[in-house]
């Protein structure tokens, strides 16, 4: 059975949802504002005859023509662009960091969102990019450096018990919690993403996600912002994790601007009900904007 | 100046250069390649033998590439790995257990210091000397790791290899200019054939 069929009661148009999940996704690049402007990237693509189109909702994202391998273009070589799925650009925008702040990226590798956050910080302040997988850390470091980022401290810790001591002991102004997940929403990019799908795995990883979000809330200052994101549809990994965080911590889910079409978080799922605040989270389905699937919530830590 | 001395990639990796550069005292602190240590401000502040100073590092970029010294005012410099200097846009008291701090930036503890590809891409746009602007065919060959023979009547040594793209000169990486040829020093993982 198709695991995605379990979401038919949640989506507005199940047929369109399944049809979109079956279509491959175009390559998308995000302009790295530390090194280039969207205009200069466009000009370089034009000079090289690289086909692209803007995405409409964000002027720093371009969908590339099917025959383009972005890694072989001059803009990539120069660190002007980063290959990043369209919806994956959402959480850094929701985080909305300011230059000079202290920011935590709890599950950072391989670095698409880290480099985006660094650019939004204008490479000023401290961005702690953490991951616990050594192989993925080396990809993270390479990507961060290629993008010309110098305000990142890379750490290798289990995000569930991240310690502030190596990075000065002070709490963060903001934290990005882009957790490992069942990745259902990447099915258009990785057709085998669901091969190992099981409810046991979903429920197991939800425990990890809950612990990672809980720790991020603890290391963020009162009044600070935590953004929780997954690339999956499963409410067990999304609203249920938020619901638990709301029960255990002084925090609230708050609204944020999103120019993409989306649906609100769900409050009922398979006999469970969740705090009404989770409705302020956003679900992006593949048929909404012809993208991957995504879940994103902005959480404010209580003062 | 001969090319074998210029191309000092292999020197210092095992830390021997660090010891050789010291004054020989057995109790003198030496470089711990696994840890981030802040560069001393000046030679007077130096405790670890052979460690580059902040002033030397900034002066090197100013002398070699004509950057403004103020370019690095908000960066702190650290050594981790023998001679490997990192530039970090901020400050931390004691970065124990940190895997990376900013960007690897400059290779020291060798006769001719060598900037990294990423540092040249990030800071080399402001360089006013020792920049060789390549024709497109040479730029492509350089990116693929090949040696080229561009017109150049300036210094031998490490140059910023750049090209004209999308309305401006943009650094590609580090080239070693010796014997009328430019040897590409693009790291293997960054080589491409566009």
């Amino acid at each position: 059975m198709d695991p995605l069929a379990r979401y038919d009661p949640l989506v507005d148009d199940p047929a369109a949802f399944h049809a979109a999940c079956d279509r491959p996704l175009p390559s998308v690049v995000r302009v790295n504002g530390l090194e280039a402007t969207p205009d200069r990237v466009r000009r370089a693509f034009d000079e090289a005859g690289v086909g692209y189109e803007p995405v409409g909702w964000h002027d720093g994202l371009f969908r590339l023509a099917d025959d383009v391998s972005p890694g072989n273009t001059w803009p990539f070589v120069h660190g002007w662009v980063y290959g990043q799925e369209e919806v994956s650009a959402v959480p850094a925008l929701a985080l909305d960091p300011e230059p000079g702040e202290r920011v935590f990226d709890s599950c950072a590798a391989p670095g698409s969102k880290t480099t985006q956050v660094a650019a939004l910080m204008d490479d000023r302040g401290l961005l702690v990019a953490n991951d616990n997988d050594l192989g993925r850390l080396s990809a993270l470091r390479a990507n961060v450096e290629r993008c010309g980022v110098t305000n990142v401290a890379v750490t290798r810790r289990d995000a569930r018990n991240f310690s502030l001591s190596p990075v000065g002991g002070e709490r963060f102004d903001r934290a990005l919690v882009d957790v490992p997940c069942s990745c259902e929403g990447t099915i258009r990019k990785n057709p085998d993403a669901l091969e190992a799908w099981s409810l046991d795995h979903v429920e197991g990883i939800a425990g990890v996600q809950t612990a990672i979000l809980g720790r991020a809330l603890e290391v963020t200052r009162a009044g600070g912002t935590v953004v929780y994101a997954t690339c999956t549809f499963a409410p067990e990994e999304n609203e249920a994790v938020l619901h638990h965080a709301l029960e255990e911590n002084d925090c609230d889910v708050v609204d944020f601007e999103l120019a993409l079409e989306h649906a609100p978080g769900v409050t009922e799922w398979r006999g469970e009900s969740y705090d009404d605040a989770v409705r302020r989270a956003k679900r992006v389905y593949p048929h909404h904007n012809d993208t991957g699937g995504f879940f994103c919530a902005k959480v404010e830590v209580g003062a | 100046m001969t090319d074998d001395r210029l191309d000092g990639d292999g020197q210092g990796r095992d830390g021997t250069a660090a010891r050789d550069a010291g004054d020989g005292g057995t109790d003198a602190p030496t470089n711990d390649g696994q840890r981030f240590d802040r560069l001393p401000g000046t030679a007077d502040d130096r405790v670890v033998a052979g460690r580059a100073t902040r002033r030397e590092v900034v002066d090197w970029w100013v002398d070699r590439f004509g950057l403004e010294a103020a370019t690095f005012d908000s960066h702190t410099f650290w050594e981790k790995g023998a001679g490997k200097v990192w530039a970090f846009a901020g400050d931390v008291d004691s970065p124990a257990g940190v895997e990376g701090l900013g960007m690897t930036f400059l290779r020291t503890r060798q006769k001719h210091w060598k900037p990294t590809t990423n540092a040249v891409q990030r800071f080399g746009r402001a360089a006013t000397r020792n920049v060789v602007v390549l024709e497109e065919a040479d730029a492509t060959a350089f990116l693929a790791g090949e040696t080229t023979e561009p017109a150049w009547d300036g210094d031998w040594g490490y140059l910023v290899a750049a090209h004209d793209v999308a309305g401006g000169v943009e650094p590609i990486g580090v080239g070693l200019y010796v014997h009328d040829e430019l040897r590409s020093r693009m790291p293997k993982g960054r080589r491409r054939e566009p």
Side-chain angles (χ1 to χ4, degrees):
Chain A
M1 186 196 124
D2 177 6
L4 296 182
R6 69 201 291 261
Y7 307 119
D8 287 359
L10 300 182
V11 295
D12 51 329
D13 184 346
F17 168 63
H18 291 288
C21 288
D22 287 341
R23 289 196 300 273
L25 268 187
S27 287
V28 174
V29 294
R30 173 180 50 78
V31 176
N32 171 23
L34 293 179
E35 300 278 359
T37 60
D39 274 349
R40 195 159 186 215
V41 170
R42 246 191 300 249
R43 192 163 164 184
F45 281 152
D46 288 342
E47 282 177 6
V50 169
Y52 65 92
E53 57 180 36
V55 300
W57 65 279
H58 186 296
D59 69 357
L61 296 172
F62 298 113
R63 292 182 178 183
L64 301 183
D66 289 343
D67 61 340
V68 178
S69 171
N72 285 340
T73 63
W74 278 119
F76 181 90
V77 167
H78 291 307
W80 294 358
V81 296
Y82 194 111
Q84 180 176 14
E85 221 275 285
E86 230 177 294
V87 276
S88 143
V90 169
L93 298 173
L95 190 69
D96 196 20
E98 302 274 345
E101 288 185 329
R102 287 172 62 85
V103 180
F104 180 42
D105 187 353
S106 67
C107 315
S112 59
K113 300 172 191 78
T114 311
T115 51
Q116 186 184 6
V117 168
L120 292 170
M121 296 173 76
D122 196 25
D123 199 29
R124 287 184 281 152
L126 174 65
L127 174 53
V128 176
N130 179 71
D131 210 280
N132 64 353
D133 180 306
L134 197 58
R136 284 163 58 86
L137 269 191
S138 75
L140 170 68
R141 281 206 31 227
N143 285 323
V144 161
E145 293 204 357
R146 182 181 60 83
C147 289
V149 174
T150 63
N151 73 333
V152 164
V154 174
T155 59
R156 178 160 67 101
R157 298 291 161 106
D158 185 330
R160 291 174 289 189
N161 48 39
F162 182 82
S163 161
L164 283 169
S165 58
V167 289
E170 212 181 309
R171 285 174 202 232
F172 295 103
D173 298 300
R174 295 172 206 265
L176 176 58
V177 183
D178 177 44
V179 287
C181 69
S182 58
C183 296
E184 296 163 351
T186 66
I187 184 71
R188 302 182 60 183
K189 208 167 60 177
N190 312 306
D192 55 357
L194 297 176
E195 268 171 24
W197 191 96
S198 75
L199 191 56
D200 274 356
H201 177 248
V202 166
E203 286 169 349
I205 205 162
V208 175
Q209 293 159 342
T210 300
I212 294 176
L213 176 57
R215 185 59 186 154
L217 289 164
E218 285 169 2
V219 297
T220 301
R221 69 168 170 83
T225 298
V226 175
V227 166
Y228 179 77
T230 74
C231 51
T232 204
F233 308 112
E236 293 90 340
E237 300 178 58
N238 293 327
E239 288 88 348
V241 172
L242 286 178
H243 176 81
H244 190 271
L246 288 164
E247 277 190 331
E248 298 291 313
N249 302 272
D250 180 11
C251 66
D252 198 12
V253 181
V254 298
D255 197 17
F256 63 96
E257 290 291 315
L258 179 58
L260 284 169
E261 187 187 338
H262 59 272
V266 300
T267 54
E268 303 283 337
W269 176 246
R270 301 201 153 197
E272 301 284 330
S273 38
Y274 308 127
D275 192 306
D276 257 355
V278 306
R279 290 180 52 77
R280 291 191 281 272
K282 301 187 192 303
R283 298 183 146 256
V284 179
Y285 292 107
H287 61 292
H288 280 158
N289 312 276
D290 200 17
T291 63
F294 214 72
F295 178 88
C296 188
K298 183 168 184 169
V299 179
E300 212 168 78
V301 179
Chain B
M1 179 181 292
T2 59
D3 55 341
D4 57 343
R5 304 192 68 178
L6 266 166
D7 202 6
D9 282 15
Q11 291 180 35
R13 286 231 169 114
D14 58 4
T16 52
R19 286 191 293 276
D20 290 346
D23 57 13
T26 48
D27 294 331
T30 55
N31 183 48
D32 177 346
Q34 301 304 308
R35 190 180 70 202
F36 281 100
D37 280 330
R38 186 188 303 266
L39 296 195
T42 64
D44 289 345
D45 309 321
R46 175 160 38 215
V47 177
V48 173
R51 178 163 289 162
T53 67
R54 176 180 178 86
R55 178 173 294 170
E56 288 165 353
V57 166
V58 172
D59 284 352
W60 186 87
W61 284 90
V62 170
D63 293 345
R64 184 75 195 158
F65 297 121
L67 297 192
E68 300 281 340
T71 305
F72 304 110
D73 278 358
S74 59
H75 284 84
T76 53
F77 296 124
W78 305 78
E79 181 176 19
K80 182 190 179 193
K84 198 192 279 185
V85 171
W86 303 59
F88 176 51
D91 206 350
V92 282
D93 288 339
S94 56
V98 170
E99 303 284 326
L101 208 52
M103 168 190 285
T104 54
F105 176 68
L106 184 65
R107 172 74 69 169
T108 63
R109 295 190 190 267
Q110 56 193 22
K111 181 167 165 51
H112 297 285
W113 289 2
K114 181 187 174 194
T116 64
T117 298
N118 291 314
V120 155
Q121 287 196 349
R122 165 72 196 265
F123 298 104
R125 217 174 285 131
T128 56
R129 53 178 170 265
N130 289 316
V131 178
V132 57
V133 180
L134 303 175
E135 300 294 330
E136 202 51 25
D138 279 353
T140 303
F142 180 90
L143 179 61
E146 292 167 19
T147 296
T148 53
E149 295 180 5
W152 178 253
D153 56 7
D155 278 5
W156 282 20
Y158 291 120
L159 305 182
V160 172
H163 71 146
D164 219 308
V165 59
V169 171
E170 187 74 9
I172 305 168
V174 179
L176 174 63
Y177 194 86
V178 281
H179 298 304
D180 300 327
E181 62 181 29
L182 183 71
R183 299 177 186 173
S184 172
R185 286 294 174 264
M186 286 305 284
K188 286 201 174 62
R190 298 292 304 276
R191 291 179 192 172
R192 292 288 185 281
E193 291 176 17

